[in-house]
Amino acid sequence: MANTQFLEKMKERWNLNSLIQVVLVLVVFSLTGTSVVFLKPYVFQLFGIESLTGIKGVFLYLLLIPPLYQILLLFYGTLLGQFSFFWKWEKKTFNSIGKLFRKRKKKV
């Protein structure tokens, strides 16, 4: 019973049409996260990175992994028929990131 309530809340929050769509979206997030964990060592090896230590390691991680995650979200979303949801999700995410770098106007 509690699981259905959770799915209903996600359906409303994400503005989805059915509980099956909610489950598919959750599966896409699961597949994406699992894939990133699996692919991370290969991506680092491709770029010649042996270990991630210090500020350089953090910077390289942030430079390489988030784009991979976003690409995989769209890939799995497309495979499971949820491209429009994840395309909106991507636009919302990049808009939020863009707001961090925009100059704020001072109120006079």
Side-chain angles (χ1 to χ4, degrees):
M1 189 66 81
N3 290 339
T4 305
Q5 291 174 348
F6 170 76
L7 294 176
E8 284 292 339
K9 286 181 184 179
M10 292 294 96
K11 179 182 161 192
E12 289 176 26
R13 181 177 183 174
W14 289 336
N15 196 25
L16 298 172
N17 299 323
S18 68
L19 292 180
I20 291 173
Q21 198 175 7
V22 175
V23 170
L24 289 173
V25 166
L26 292 172
V27 168
V28 169
F29 280 121
S30 298
L31 288 171
T32 302
T34 303
S35 297
V36 166
V37 169
F38 177 76
L39 293 173
K40 184 181 89 170
Y42 298 107
V43 170
F44 290 158
Q45 190 177 38
L46 180 69
F47 285 93
I49 302 167
E50 304 257 338
S51 67
L52 292 177
T53 56
I55 192 74
K56 180 182 175 186
V58 171
F59 178 75
L60 289 172
Y61 181 87
L62 291 174
L63 187 67
L64 298 174
I65 297 305
L68 175 63
Y69 184 86
Q70 302 305 325
I71 290 167
L72 287 173
L73 265 181
L74 290 175
F75 174 74
Y76 286 125
T78 301
L79 284 179
L80 294 176
Q82 301 303 312
F83 178 81
S84 62
F85 173 83
F86 285 101
W87 186 245
K88 290 176 192 173
W89 183 274
E90 293 289 332
K91 290 190 286 188
K92 186 177 176 182
T93 300
F94 284 109
N95 190 29
S96 297
I97 292 170
K99 286 180 183 179
L100 295 173
F101 297 101
R102 290 188 196 122
K103 291 183 180 180
R104 295 182 184 174
K105 294 181 182 179
K106 291 184 180 181
K107 293 183 181 180
V108 179

